[in-house]
Amino acid sequence: MAIIILSRERCGLSRCITYYLVAIAVADFFVIVMAVILNRIAGIYFRNSIWSVTPSCALSTVLVYATRDASVWLTVAFTADRFVAICCQRLKTRYCTEKTASLVIGIVCALSCMKNIPFYFIYQPLYFLDGVAWFCDIKISYYNWPIWQTYDWLDRILTPFVPFLLILLLNALTVKHILLASRARKRLRAAENRQDPEMANRKKSIVLLFTISLSFLLLWVTYVAHFLYVQIAGEAYFTGLDFNDPQYIFQETTNMLQLLSSCTNIFIYAVTQSKFRHELKNTLMHPFTTLAVRFKPVKEQ
């Protein structure tokens, strides 16, 4: 729904912002499809499907990580774009363009796919049945070889640590700039006794940026905390099947919140953007209004 509404470009947002929001919505959609529907739901309730064969299982893991990384880094790219638009006026005209947004989105998606290709090679079949390799079991070399250990750390650092820090830093700098600029413009406008449409438009963009960024930070913070706990305490990730174990519950809660971060943006748009709510209402009501018009009785001449 968000992809359709944003693609129509009727929400009063610039095309640059629209490009980023559509890209984030598409990435989030694929996260839900790959990580939730095919990996989680199908993996639990349809265990003997094509996705349980080892090559498909390994491929799905690559796609899960690739879509996750794309979603996270597109959020960073959007945050950086708004930082430049608000804080770097000289760079704004060259960077905050449709061409740059398209290029950044393409690079982020391509690198997200390339970065996660090695995950395909860390798995081996759990067992063979009638000559068919079933399920995925991580190879011992993934835990022993220094190159795989380095890759694991690199994966954790690139997602979510670096994005986490970048979003915090860029938002802090943006807030500082906004506060300073707002005070100066208020003094100027108070002297001229006029409304400030620039500040009104800027506030809409700021509210959208901060809600998306804050949602990302809050929903990923438990994942970061869990990773740090595992590394500092020297413990391994829980691999048992005891659903009542507190460690299992905490670990799955972090995964749930991380996946939930790909489901919240449409609600953020609806809360922060009045034009998005209007378009959402029109889209939902369109089938009913079409039927009403079609079956409306024709008045007699």
Side-chain angles (χ1 to χ4, degrees):
M1 188 67 70
I3 295 169
I4 294 171
I5 294 173
L6 291 170
S7 298
R8 292 175 177 174
E9 300 184 6
R10 299 175 184 173
C11 297
L13 302 170
S14 68
R15 297 197 72 183
C16 182
I17 294 177
T18 301
Y19 279 22
Y20 281 112
L21 294 184
V22 170
I24 292 173
V26 171
D28 288 344
F29 174 75
F30 280 111
V31 169
I32 295 169
V33 171
M34 296 306 307
V36 179
I37 298 176
L38 295 181
N39 187 272
R40 291 276 176 165
I41 297 177
I44 293 173
Y45 296 103
F46 305 96
R47 294 185 61 85
N48 294 322
S49 67
I50 186 64
W51 286 101
S52 298
V53 179
T54 301
S56 300
C57 174
L59 178 61
S60 68
T61 301
V62 173
L63 295 176
V64 166
Y65 282 109
T67 52
R68 178 206 65 176
D69 288 359
S71 175
V72 170
W73 279 99
L74 285 172
T75 303
V76 175
F78 174 62
T79 306
D81 177 85
R82 292 299 86 201
F83 167 77
V84 172
I86 295 171
C87 304
C88 308
Q89 294 301 312
R90 292 183 179 179
L91 185 59
K92 175 182 176 180
T93 54
R94 289 180 295 171
Y95 183 80
C96 299
T97 63
E98 302 164 26
K99 182 178 180 180
T100 302
S102 301
L103 180 63
V104 171
I105 291 168
I107 292 174
V108 168
C109 294
L111 291 179
S112 297
C113 294
M114 292 172 59
K115 167 188 166 291
N116 292 288
I117 289 176
F119 276 116
Y120 184 86
F121 302 100
I122 71 172
Y123 293 106
Q124 61 185 2
L126 184 62
Y127 60 83
F128 287 88
L129 181 62
D130 297 330
V132 179
W134 287 92
F135 301 106
C136 289
D137 185 31
I138 298 178
K139 298 177 181 177
I140 298 298
S141 59
Y142 183 75
Y143 300 102
N144 297 332
W145 290 9
I147 188 171
W148 281 121
Q149 294 176 0
T150 303
Y151 177 76
D152 182 61
W153 268 98
L154 182 65
D155 174 63
R156 305 287 181 172
I157 291 172
L158 290 178
T159 306
F161 278 97
V162 173
F164 203 88
L165 295 176
L166 283 176
I167 290 176
L168 281 176
L169 176 62
L170 292 174
N171 280 342
L173 293 174
T174 303
V175 169
K176 180 180 178 180
H177 179 86
I178 290 169
L179 292 176
L180 295 175
S182 297
R183 292 170 187 170
R185 292 181 70 90
K186 281 182 180 179
R187 288 194 296 267
L188 179 62
R189 291 291 172 175
E192 298 177 355
N193 194 25
R194 290 191 299 169
Q195 296 294 325
D196 191 353
E198 173 65 22
M199 286 303 299
N201 292 332
R202 185 175 291 184
K203 284 181 180 178
K204 292 181 181 179
S205 179
I206 291 166
V207 169
L208 181 61
L209 166 66
F210 285 175
T211 49
I212 291 176
S213 300
L214 186 61
S215 171
F216 170 80
L217 294 174
L218 291 176
L219 292 172
W220 276 85
V221 69
T222 53
Y223 181 91
V224 174
H226 182 240
F227 173 75
L228 292 175
Y229 168 76
V230 169
Q231 300 302 319
I232 295 173
E235 297 185 6
Y237 287 100
F238 189 83
T239 57
L241 295 176
D242 185 1
F243 298 156
N244 296 318
D245 190 291
Q247 188 177 352
Y248 173 84
I249 295 173
F250 178 60
Q251 180 172 296
E252 288 304 300
T253 301
T254 64
N255 292 330
M256 180 192 69
L257 293 175
Q258 174 226 317
L259 294 173
L260 188 62
S261 67
S262 296
C263 307
T264 56
N265 283 343
I266 187 171
F267 302 104
I268 291 173
Y269 305 150
V271 169
T272 61
Q273 302 292 308
S274 58
K275 290 185 177 180
F276 184 91
R277 292 196 297 272
H278 179 71
E279 288 298 317
L280 177 62
K281 179 181 177 181
N282 289 343
T283 303
L284 293 176
M285 294 300 296
H286 180 72
F288 302 102
T289 55
T290 302
L291 290 174
V293 171
R294 176 166 296 185
F295 293 103
K296 184 178 180 179
V298 179
K299 293 182 178 180
E300 295 183 0
Q301 298 295 330

